[in-house]
Structures are given as structure tokens and as C-alpha cells.
């Protein structure tokens, strides 16, 4: 079964049986639920929704189904066409719209697609709102408009350029300094919309661009999740081109990874660290990331006199805590930069512009040397599969009790903070699995901590 319904939207593989995969019927059903909820939530006679999509092969089909479903509900649509997740997030408030939908399965392979849902602020829906939409979908409680009250579609393909302008107008982005530095950068756009918008941003900042997989045809040349094992081509090209660094984004351009000038991964975890280092040096303040993100952000924040706090995993949770703590930058360790000066959403464009300005203003010649200057942490990511009969919650409670004398958080699973390392245990909501994230000053220590925790879980589970 590859149709996953959650409070943040619906995603699945294209084709197959209704209810088991993301079929046209499922796309219409969920769009109907969102539109119905939005009309009730807004309290307006006429509602407007912004829609954009990434370059997936199934994108035009899903796009037309969703758009015309909203029209059938009497909702006006601003159609951005090929776009990015952060571009749609920026467009919603600029259009004074009531919500937004991004059609993308983010880092999932090409057979996947999804509907990601936004509120009137251009931010992801709360858990309560998402749960209400799921109930509407389950009950099929839709009421479509008559012929005289159908919605209208307005095409607007200018928002990638508008998004770039909004980024370049940020006070901490200095395009002139970047232009003077004469950078050369390789871009892997994984044949999606990042292949359009990232080179365009770079060119407007005076950067020489070497394009790799920047044709937005939806045929992903490698697994689109920007992890080291998928990025051999760009790592090689950065050194061959003697580039200053490389940029990799996922298909909807909300995750950002850098390749250092030596062809090695800068590290997704350190994308946020570097951008925060720059922002905090100019505007001291607080930061937030999720519990599975590196301690390096905490270290950098405290170096600049700010305070750091970790949220539960999930962009909605990060944003909520950022607002509560007045954080000036935050995000997730998967390369997601959230910079509220522009909007509360992960935005690769913002990350690229801040990083380039940081390099230019500080005359940093080697990205590899910059990476080496940061606190060194290494992560290990594992999982342990259990039988359905095993009580996963009881195991997590047992682990929390075992380490009661350490710093333990149960906000999201169980996180145990030791003096110089940590472990975060999270259960899957769909299968009997515990995910195990560890971090330590060396890879060997991170791996050893994971092995120890797995052994202890098996002891508690009696397996």
C-alpha cells in the first residue's frame, strides 16, 4: 500500500487501485476535502488558492485534476505552473490568497507525487486542521458549486522571478559583494524546477554557473534525496571544473546541500549551521532545529550569545517553536533553511543567497576549510524492525527509565542527551519500527552508541 494520508497532506505512487495508490480519484477526493475545509475555514464568499508543481512526469495530470476540482467547488485558482515549494509559500500572502497547494513528493522517486497543503500565511497546516481535512475526505462531505458559481483560473508564471527578487532584497543578502568575488558554482537541479530557479538566482548574483541535470523533464538522473551516496556526479564535476563549491537541491527546492571545493560533502546538517553562523554574526538572536539535527547549531548559536532549542521532528513543529522563541533562523538538519525575514518555510534560495554572501563578505576562499572550522559531529541513522505484537511505546518508556539520570526528553519519542553524544528514538506511525539517530564527536562513537542502544532495545523487547 503506497497511499499515505497524514495531517500534512497525501502522497503516494501513481497508478494502481483507488485507495491504495495516488490515483486520479484520490487526488480529486483529497483536493475536494481541502477546498471544502478552506471555504469553511475562511468564512469568505469567494476563496482563492495558489497552486504550483515540481517537474515530475505525473505533475501536469495531477495539477489539472486538483485545479479543476477546486474550480468545481467555486474556488478561484492562481496557477503558477512549474514552481517550487518555497515559491508557492511566498506567493500565497503576496496574492492575499486563502491557501495554497504544492504538488510534489519532495525527495521521493519519480513514481511518487503528493499534495502539500498551506494556510493563508503560506505555511503548512496545523495538526488539527490536517486532521479535519482527513475527516472530510473520509466522509466525502463535499458540496460542489452550480454552473453560475464555478471558480476561475488565473495563470501567473512570474513567481519564480518574484521569489528571486524577494530573496535579493533581503538586508543580509549582498549581491554586489558576491558578484565581486567571482564565484564559480556547479548546480545539480535533479531535472526538476530547481534546475531553472537556482541557476537564475546565481546568475543574478554574478556567479558563473555550471549546470548538471538542470532540464526540468521529471526524469530524475539519480535518487532525488540529496545524500552523499546519490551525488557522485556533482562531487566529481566540482573538482573537474575547479569550482568554488556545488549546490544540490531536491525536486521541490526546499532542501539544500553543498559540495565543498574538494569534491566532498559539506554535509546537509551543516547547511543550516553555516547560514546561521552568518545571520547570527549580523543579527544576534535565537535558533531552533528539530531533535534529530546536529548539536553544531547549538554550539554556533551559543558562540554568538543566543539560545538554541530543539522541537519535535516536522517543519510545522520547528516553525511553531521558532515563533514562540522569536528565533531569527532555524530549520532542519536535512538542509532545510527557515529564515522568517522572508517567510516561515524551508527555502533553498534563501540558503544559497545567505551562504554566498557569507563567503564573499568574509573572503572565504575554501568551502572545505570553512566546514573544517565548525564543531565536528558525526551521525549514525539506523532502525530496528519489531513484530506487530511488540508494544513499541513500552520499549520507549523502558529506555527513558533506563537513562533517567541523563537529560531525557519525551516530546518526540525519546531523546537522551549525554555529555558529548546523543541518541533519538522515534517510532514509525505506519509500521513496527523504531528509528535510531545518534550523534557523537567521531563516526566510530556514533556507530558504537547506535549498536549499544539497539542491543538494549532488544533486551527490553525480549528478542
Amino acid at each position: 500500500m503506497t497511499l499515505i494520508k497524514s495531517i500534512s497532506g497525501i502522497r503516494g505512487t501513481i497508478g494502481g487501485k483507488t485507495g491504495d495508490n495516488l490515483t486520479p480519484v484520490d487526488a480529486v477526493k483529497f483536493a475536494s476535502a481541502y477546498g471544502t475545509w478552506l471555504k469553511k475555514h475562511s468564512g469568505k464568499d469567494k476563496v482563492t488558492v495558489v497552486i504550483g508543481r515540481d517537474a515530475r512526469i505525473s505533475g501536469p495530470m495531477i495539477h489539472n485534476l486538483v485545479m479543476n476540482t477546486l474550480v468545481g467547488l467555486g474556488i478561484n485558482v492562481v496557477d503558477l505552473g512549474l514552481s517550487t515549494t518555497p515559491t508557492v509559500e511566498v506567493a500565497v500572502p503576496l496574492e492575499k490568497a486563502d491557501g495554497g497547494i504544492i504538488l510534489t513528493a519532495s525527495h521521493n522517486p519519480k513514481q511518487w507525487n503528493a499534495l502539500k497543503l498551506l494556510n493563508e500565511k503560506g505555511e503548512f497546516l496545523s495538526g488539527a486542521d490536517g486532521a479535519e481535512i482527513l475527516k472530510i475526505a473520509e466522509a466525502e462531505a463535499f458540496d460542489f458549486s452550480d454552473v453560475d458559481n464555478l471558480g476561475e483560473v488565473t495563470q501567473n508564471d512570474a513567481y519564480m522571478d518574484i521569489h528571486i527578487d524577494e530573496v535579493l532584497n533581503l538586508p543580509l543578502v549582498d549581491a554586489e559583494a558576491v558578484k565581486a568575488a567571482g564565484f564559480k558554482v556547479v548546480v545539480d537541479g535533479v531535472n526538476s524546477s530547481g534546475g531553472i530557479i537556482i541557476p537564475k538566482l546565481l546568475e543574478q548574483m554574478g556567479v558563473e554557473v555550471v549546470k548538471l541535470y538542470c532540464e526540468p523533464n521529471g526524469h530524475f538522473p539519480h535518487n532525488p534525496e540529496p545524500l552523499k551516496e546519490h551525488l557522485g556526479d556533482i562531487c566529481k564535476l566540482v573538482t573537474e571544473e575547479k569550482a568554488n563549491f556545488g549546490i544540490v537541491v531536491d525536486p521541490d527546492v526546499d532542501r539544500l546541500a553543498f559540495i565543498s571545493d574538494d569534491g566532498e560533502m559539506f554535509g546537509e546538517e551543516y547547511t543550516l549551521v553555516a547560514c546561521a553562523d552568518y545571520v547570527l554574526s549580523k543579527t544576534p538572536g535565537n535558533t531552533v532545529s528539530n531533535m534529530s539535527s546536529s548539536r553544531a547549531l547549538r554550539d554556533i548559536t551559543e558562540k554568538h550569545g543566543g539560545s538554541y532549542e530543539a522541537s519535535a521532528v516536522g517543519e510545522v513543529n520547528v516553525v511553531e517553536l521558532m515563533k514562540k522563541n522569536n528565533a531569527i533562523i532555524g530549520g532542519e538538519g536535512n538542509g532545510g533553511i527557515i529564515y522568517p525575514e522572508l517567510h516561515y518555510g524551508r527555502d533553498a534560495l534563501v540558503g544559497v543567497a545567505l551562504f554566498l554572501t557569507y563567503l564573499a563578505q568574509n573572503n572565504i576562499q575554501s568551502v572545505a576549510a570553512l566546514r573544517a572550522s565548525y564543531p565536528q559531529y558525526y551521525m549514525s541513522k539506523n532502525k530496528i524492525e519489531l513484530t506487530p505484537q511488540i508494544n513499541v511505546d513500552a520499549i520507549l518508556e523502558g529506555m527513558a527509565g533506563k537513562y533517567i539520570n541523563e537529560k531525557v526528553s519525551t516530546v518526540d519519542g525519546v531523546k537522551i542527551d549525554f555529555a558529548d553524544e546523543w541518541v533519538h528514538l522515534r517510532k514509525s506511525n505506519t509500521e513496527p519500527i523504531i528509528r535510531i539517530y545518534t550523534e557523537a564527536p567521531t563516526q566510530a562513537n556514533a556507530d558504537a552508541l547506535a549498536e549499544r542502544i539497539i542491543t538494549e532495545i532488544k533486551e527490553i523487547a525480549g528478542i
Side-chain angles (χ1 to χ4, degrees):
M1 183 171 179
T2 47
L3 184 67
I4 301 171
K5 303 172 186 177
S6 72
I7 58 174
S8 60
I10 184 171
R11 61 189 168 101
T13 52
I14 299 298
K17 295 181 179 179
T18 302
D20 286 344
N21 304 77
L22 185 56
T23 69
V25 173
D26 294 293
V28 168
K29 180 178 177 180
F30 203 75
S32 300
Y34 172 69
T36 300
W37 170 84
L38 198 60
K39 288 167 68 175
K40 175 185 173 185
H41 177 73
S42 70
K44 293 183 179 179
D45 291 333
K46 207 66 177 178
V47 172
T48 300
V49 173
V50 176
I51 293 184
R53 65 174 178 86
D54 70 14
R56 288 169 190 275
I57 298 166
S58 62
M61 176 191 72
I62 298 294
H63 191 120
N64 286 321
L65 287 165
V66 170
M67 186 167 61
N68 287 304
T69 298
L70 296 178
V71 168
L73 285 163
I75 294 173
N76 291 332
V77 173
V78 179
D79 178 17
L80 306 191
L82 194 61
S83 190
T84 78
T85 288
T87 303
V88 177
E89 291 170 341
V90 167
V92 169
L94 289 179
E95 288 289 322
K96 296 181 173 58
D98 304 285
I101 301 177
I102 307 117
L103 304 170
T104 175
S106 193
H107 61 272
N108 290 106
K110 70 176 184 179
Q111 62 266 34
W112 289 79
N113 213 327
L115 284 68
K116 295 165 72 170
L117 310 176
L118 304 177
N119 62 20
E120 73 281 1
K121 297 177 183 177
E123 300 169 13
F124 288 112
L125 302 183
S126 69
D129 290 340
E132 189 175 344
I133 291 169
L134 289 176
K135 287 182 181 178
I136 294 170
E138 189 66 28
E140 297 189 5
F142 320 131
D143 187 9
F144 292 94
S145 295
D146 60 41
V147 71
D148 293 319
N149 293 291
L150 297 174
E152 297 180 351
V153 176
T154 303
Q155 308 285 341
N156 190 334
D157 60 2
Y159 262 99
M160 282 204 198
D161 291 325
I162 293 170
H163 185 186
I164 290 171
D165 289 342
E166 292 286 315
V167 170
L168 294 178
N169 286 332
L170 290 169
L172 292 191
V173 172
D174 188 345
E176 291 305 312
V178 173
K179 185 176 182 179
F183 292 124
K184 182 180 183 180
V185 175
V186 180
V187 177
D188 179 350
V190 73
N191 285 345
S192 190
S193 44
I196 300 172
I197 199 167
I198 296 297
K200 189 175 285 192
L201 170 68
L202 293 172
E203 287 161 2
Q204 290 194 32
M205 297 184 78
V207 175
E208 180 185 349
V209 180
V210 178
K211 296 181 182 180
L212 176 68
Y213 308 135
C214 286
E215 183 66 33
N217 56 27
H219 292 282
F220 304 148
H222 54 76
N223 186 305
E225 187 166 14
L227 302 177
K228 181 178 181 178
E229 56 267 31
H230 308 148
L231 302 177
D233 291 349
I234 187 172
C235 289
K236 181 181 177 184
L237 192 56
V238 166
T239 56
E240 288 178 350
E241 290 285 341
K242 296 182 171 57
N244 294 93
F245 65 101
I247 292 171
V248 185
V249 292
D250 63 342
D252 68 325
V253 201
D254 63 355
R255 285 175 64 172
L256 172 65
F258 297 129
I259 310 299
S260 298
D261 49 299
D262 59 359
E264 295 296 323
M265 292 292 294
F266 190 81
E268 271 193 307
E269 292 286 337
Y270 284 81
T271 302
L272 175 57
V273 173
C275 290
D277 191 19
Y278 169 59
V279 170
L280 293 169
S281 72
K282 300 290 187 179
T283 52
N286 303 326
T287 65
V288 169
S289 64
N290 68 39
M291 288 186 171
S292 291
S293 299
S294 175
R295 271 187 183 176
L297 180 61
R298 179 204 66 181
D299 295 352
I300 291 298
T301 304
E302 292 175 352
K303 182 190 84 171
H304 288 289
S307 66
Y308 164 81
E309 196 168 340
S311 76
V313 172
E315 185 173 331
V316 172
N317 298 316
V318 174
V319 167
E320 183 180 353
L321 191 57
M322 286 182 69
K323 291 178 177 179
K324 180 182 176 183
N325 290 1
N326 295 313
I328 60 171
I329 190 168
E332 298 181 288
N334 60 10
I337 309 293
I338 301 174
Y339 188 49
E341 185 75 16
L342 182 56
H343 68 113
Y344 276 105
R346 296 182 303 178
D347 191 329
L349 277 74
V350 168
V352 167
L354 292 174
F355 188 70
L356 281 166
T357 303
Y358 183 30
L359 297 179
Q361 288 189 351
N362 292 278
N363 194 29
I364 296 171
Q365 299 299 314
S366 171
V367 170
L370 174 66
R371 172 65 177 81
S373 73
Y374 289 127
Q376 300 299 301
Y377 293 104
Y378 298 84
M379 298 188 81
S380 180
K381 299 180 181 181
N382 300 270
K383 65 181 179 181
I384 180 169
E385 297 187 17
L386 306 168
T387 62
Q389 292 75 31
I390 292 177
N391 188 333
V392 176
D393 290 324
I395 292 175
L396 294 180
E397 288 175 13
M399 291 299 293
K402 181 179 179 68
Y403 289 100
I404 195 169
N405 293 324
E406 303 292 344
K407 183 180 177 183
V408 176
S409 170
T410 56
V411 169
D412 181 12
V414 175
K415 183 172 184 180
I416 307 162
D417 270 295
F418 303 100
D420 59 355
E421 56 189 15
W422 57 259
V423 59
H424 188 197
L425 309 175
R426 299 182 72 238
K427 74 171 184 176
S428 167
N429 292 324
T430 57
E431 50 191 335
I433 285 175
I434 296 177
R435 302 190 187 280
I436 302 157
Y437 304 89
T438 60
E439 184 178 68
T442 69
Q443 190 63 57
N445 285 359
D447 293 339
L449 176 59
E451 290 175 11
R452 189 184 92 206
I453 294 297
I454 289 171
T455 299
E456 292 171 356
I457 288 173
K458 288 181 176 179
E459 289 173 353
I460 291 174
I463 56 177

